[in-house]
Amino acid sequence: MKSAIRNNNPIMFIESQNLYSSKGAVPEDEYLVPLGVADIKREGSSITLVAYGPAVIDALQAAEQLQAEMGVSAEVVDLRCLIPFDAETVVRSVRKTSRCVVVSQAVRMGSFTGEIASTIQEQAFDYLDAPVIRVGAQNGIPPQSQSLEAVFYPHVNEIVAAAKSIL
């Protein structure tokens, strides 16, 4: 958010309520996330999981589960920023792993995951050993009820299943 505030351009910052209760390390020094620069949250060699927002946490858990169940080394790329989109980091990762699952809590139809998958197809097609798979929320309007959200949003098991389908 600080990076967006300090930028002189108009920026739309969207935060997820699902992240409000999450906990983690907080830098003691001032820290600004560079706009348009993705972050490799977990190094891997067998498959790339590309995610943004709350889906990053699920992708990291899915990577751990893939490692535990199958010995699969999954790389997790956190986009952190959609526009500008850091295609270079994503494509470099996919060229290394040859497989990719793109994860988002946005509805699958019309979401940014399609843009990511398209960019991978255009820039890394010759490196792919399987189609790019997208995992997202159910098509429709996001519910406000926790019990309905549990069905609407994708979960770790769906990411794991998507990864297994192309391994």
Side-chain angles (χ1 to χ4, degrees), residues 102-108 113 134-138 152-154 158:
V102 183
V103 186
S104 166
Q105 283 198 338
V107 294
R108 197 165 169 264
T113 59
R134 297 183 300 139
V135 175
Q138 303 296 317
F152 181 78
Y153 290 114
E158 293 173 63

Side-chain angles (χ1 to χ4, degrees), residues 70-88:
M70 303 174 62
V72 170
S73 173
E75 182 152 296
V76 178
V77 178
D78 177 3
L79 292 181
R80 302 194 299 186
C81 182
L82 299 184
I83 299 174
F85 167 50
D86 185 1
E88 185 178 320

Side-chain angles (χ1 to χ4, degrees), residues 119-149:
T119 299
I120 293 166
Q121 290 289 113
E122 291 170 358
Q123 297 183 23
F125 181 78
D126 291 339
Y127 294 86
L128 290 172
D129 290 336
V132 177
I133 304 292
R134 297 183 300 139
V135 175
Q138 303 296 317
N139 292 323
I141 299 169
Q144 297 301 309
S145 160
Q146 281 187 330
S147 60
L148 293 176
E149 283 180 347

Side-chain angles (χ1 to χ4, degrees), residues 6-161:
R6 293 185 182 163
N7 193 293
N8 289 331
N9 294 305
I11 293 180
M12 181 182 296
F13 180 86
I14 300 172
E15 61 184 1
S16 172
Q17 292 177 351
N18 293 342
L19 293 176
Y20 288 169
S21 62
S22 63
K23 297 181 182 201
V26 177
E28 292 194 23
D29 297 329
E30 181 176 53
Y31 179 76
L32 298 173
V33 173
L35 298 175
V37 180
D39 186 32
I40 306 291
K41 294 290 188 194
R42 184 181 197 274
E43 293 281 341
S45 59
S46 304
I47 189 168
T48 299
L49 305 178
V50 178
Y52 58 92
V56 173
I57 296 167
D58 293 337
L60 287 165
Q61 291 174 356
E64 292 296 326
Q65 190 171 330
L66 287 165
Q67 182 72 47
E69 289 180 12
M70 303 174 62
V72 170
S73 173
E75 182 152 296
V76 178
V77 178
D78 177 3
L79 292 181
R80 302 194 299 186
C81 182
L82 299 184
I83 299 174
F85 167 50
D86 185 1
E88 185 178 320
T89 299
V90 172
V91 169
R92 184 175 42 246
S93 177
V94 172
R95 285 181 176 174
K96 178 172 74 170
T97 66
S98 301
R99 291 174 169 79
C100 184
V101 175
V102 183
V103 186
S104 166
Q105 283 198 338
V107 294
R108 197 165 169 264
M109 182 182 291
S111 77
F112 199 77
T113 59
E115 184 63 33
I116 298 165
S118 175
T119 299
I120 293 166
Q121 290 289 113
E122 291 170 358
Q123 297 183 23
F125 181 78
D126 291 339
Y127 294 86
L128 290 172
D129 290 336
V132 177
I133 304 292
R134 297 183 300 139
V135 175
Q138 303 296 317
N139 292 323
I141 299 169
Q144 297 301 309
S145 160
Q146 281 187 330
S147 60
L148 293 176
E149 283 180 347
V151 177
F152 181 78
Y153 290 114
H155 296 283
V156 173
N157 290 339
E158 293 173 63
I159 300 168
V160 170

